[in-house]
Amino acid sequence: MEEVELCFPQLNTSCWKTKRPLSHTVLIYMVLSFISLLTVTLNLLVIISISHFKQLQSPTNLLLLALAVSDFFVGLDMLFQILLINGCWLLGDLMCTLYILFDYIVTSTSIGIMILISVDRYVAICDPLHYSTKVTPGRVQVCVSLCWILSFFYAVIVMKEDIKEPGRYKSCVGECVVTCSIIHQFSDFIVLFLIPISVIIVLYMRVFVVAVSQARAMRSHIAAVSFERSVKLTVKKSEIKAAGTLGVVIVVFLICICPYFCVTVRGQDNMFNALSAAIVVSLYCSNSCLNPVIYALFYPWFRKSIKIILTLQILQPGSYKTNMM
């Protein structure tokens, strides 16, 4: 049987916290801390790999780099979520507002980058002849920067009342909450879920159809085909493989994000208890840890780069020129 006590025993206006058995508390802290550390470590390996090795700095990999940066911050953000396990926030109203604002920005940016990845694969598969001119490293960097900027402004607009007066919506001392009106829930559902998911699904449906037709064409081409044509088919095959891998990333993203927004739009308090809500949030955050695992499973260059980094070969002069393919 769980007991309750005040977050700040000396204050009558303090919030109540749940007091669990010490073994349960230690287990929860250990599991969440491990997930946070793993998320930070794995995404840091992705960041170092793509940033250091020149051969890996293609437009598609730059998008993976941008996603790894946002996922890295999600891992750091989870450290603050651990502080809320017992229902008490001890860092003050200003830090609470900044924490939620930062979480808002990082989450929105990750969703925006997922859209950019879908657009990248759409152009690569459906318009391969113009891919190199339409999708350049410079344009990718501009688009990623816009994702961060737009996410920042969206978060500031949604949380403007909380930024003006941190803690204005809390009901007791030790609570970390921000405004959560029906309008804000609906706007989040539309802007951060419905529109992005619709765009991603439509683009990848088109990619899938074209990829299937191209795969059939590659299987059926005859030996008399010219060498130039063979090269084109090989390039297309590699693009299709990349689309498949990134498709897995997006499917995992959808699986992790859908429960969270379904709960949010229908009203979490009426549907789930605290444990169920924690599971939904954990599933949502775990996506940031799963992405590097997918890269390790499908990308040989990532496994090779991990080996080079862990064996400290990356410190050797000229290691950035290493052949990673």
Side-chain angles (χ1 to χ4, degrees):
M1 183 68 179
E2 293 183 342
E3 301 176 358
V4 292
E5 62 181 30
L6 294 174
C7 295
F8 299 93
Q10 69 276 17
L11 297 177
N12 292 331
T13 56
S14 172
C15 298
W16 294 91
K17 71 175 180 179
T18 301
K19 185 177 181 181
R20 300 181 179 87
L22 180 60
S23 58
H24 292 185
T25 302
V26 171
L27 178 62
I28 293 173
Y29 273 102
M30 287 181 62
V31 170
L32 292 182
S33 298
F34 174 75
I35 294 175
S36 175
L37 180 61
L38 187 63
T39 300
V40 169
T41 302
L42 291 178
N43 282 288
L44 186 59
L45 287 173
V46 177
I47 294 171
I48 294 174
S49 298
I50 299 177
S51 300
H52 181 76
F53 298 109
K54 190 173 182 63
Q55 191 180 22
L56 298 181
Q57 295 171 5
S58 65
T60 300
N61 284 351
L62 289 178
L63 289 175
L64 296 185
L65 171 62
L67 184 61
V69 171
S70 61
D71 287 343
F72 173 82
F73 286 125
V74 169
L76 292 179
D77 200 49
M78 287 180 65
L79 294 175
F80 290 95
Q81 294 176 6
I82 294 174
L83 299 177
L84 289 170
I85 290 175
N86 290 328
C88 296
W89 180 262
L90 308 177
L91 301 181
D93 296 333
L94 178 60
M95 282 300 297
C96 170
T97 300
L98 292 177
Y99 151 67
I100 296 178
L101 178 67
F102 181 72
D103 182 68
Y104 229 126
I105 294 172
V106 172
T107 301
S108 303
T109 301
S110 295
I111 294 172
I113 293 172
M114 283 294 181
I115 295 177
L116 294 180
I117 289 175
S118 300
V119 173
D120 173 77
R121 289 301 88 198
Y122 174 81
V123 177
I125 300 298
C126 301
D127 192 13
L129 296 180
H130 299 96
Y131 176 78
S132 59
T133 55
K134 288 184 176 181
V135 184
T136 63
R139 290 182 178 179
V140 168
Q141 292 171 6
V142 170
C143 290
V144 170
S145 299
L146 285 176
C147 276
W148 281 99
I149 294 172
L150 293 176
S151 297
F152 172 79
F153 281 111
Y154 178 77
V156 169
I157 291 173
V158 171
M159 294 182 57
K160 61 181 179 180
E161 299 298 329
D162 302 280
I163 295 173
K164 290 179 181 178
E165 186 181 342
R168 65 180 299 176
Y169 292 101
K170 69 178 184 181
S171 58
C172 53
V173 179
E175 187 177 29
C176 182
V177 294
V178 294
T179 178
C180 192
S181 65
I182 297 297
I183 295 177
H184 289 150
Q185 289 182 350
F186 184 74
S187 66
D188 282 353
F189 179 75
I190 297 297
V191 176
L192 300 181
F193 180 75
L194 189 59
I195 293 177
I197 298 307
S198 299
V199 172
I200 289 171
I201 291 176
V202 169
L203 290 177
Y204 249 86
M205 284 180 63
R206 177 60 179 165
V207 167
F208 177 76
V209 171
V210 175
V212 169
S213 64
Q214 290 293 337
R216 288 175 178 173
M218 284 188 286
R219 285 195 300 266
S220 61
H221 78 283
I222 58 176
V225 73
S226 67
F227 174 77
E228 180 182 359
R229 178 61 174 168
S230 297
V231 171
K232 289 181 179 180
L233 288 171
T234 302
V235 173
K236 175 63 76 172
K237 184 176 181 179
S238 66
E239 296 291 359
I240 292 174
K241 183 178 179 180
T245 301
L246 296 177
V248 173
V249 172
I250 289 176
V251 169
V252 172
F253 169 75
L254 295 179
I255 293 174
C256 292
I257 198 176
C258 283
Y260 176 81
F261 279 100
C262 289
V263 169
T264 300
V265 76
R266 294 186 60 181
Q268 177 175 310
D269 294 337
N270 297 328
M271 293 179 62
F272 291 92
N273 56 31
L275 178 60
S276 299
I279 292 174
V280 170
V281 173
S282 297
L283 179 63
Y284 179 69
C285 296
S286 66
N287 177 70
S288 298
C289 181
L290 293 175
N291 287 336
V293 175
I294 296 172
Y295 305 154
L297 291 175
F298 291 94
Y299 286 133
W301 60 259
F302 184 52
R303 296 193 295 272
K304 184 175 181 179
S305 66
I306 291 177
K307 181 179 179 180
I308 294 175
I309 293 171
L310 296 182
T311 56
L312 301 182
Q313 296 179 45
I314 193 173
L315 300 178
Q316 296 178 359
S319 61
Y320 69 96
K321 297 180 181 179
T322 303
N323 182 13
M324 303 300 297
M325 300 300 181

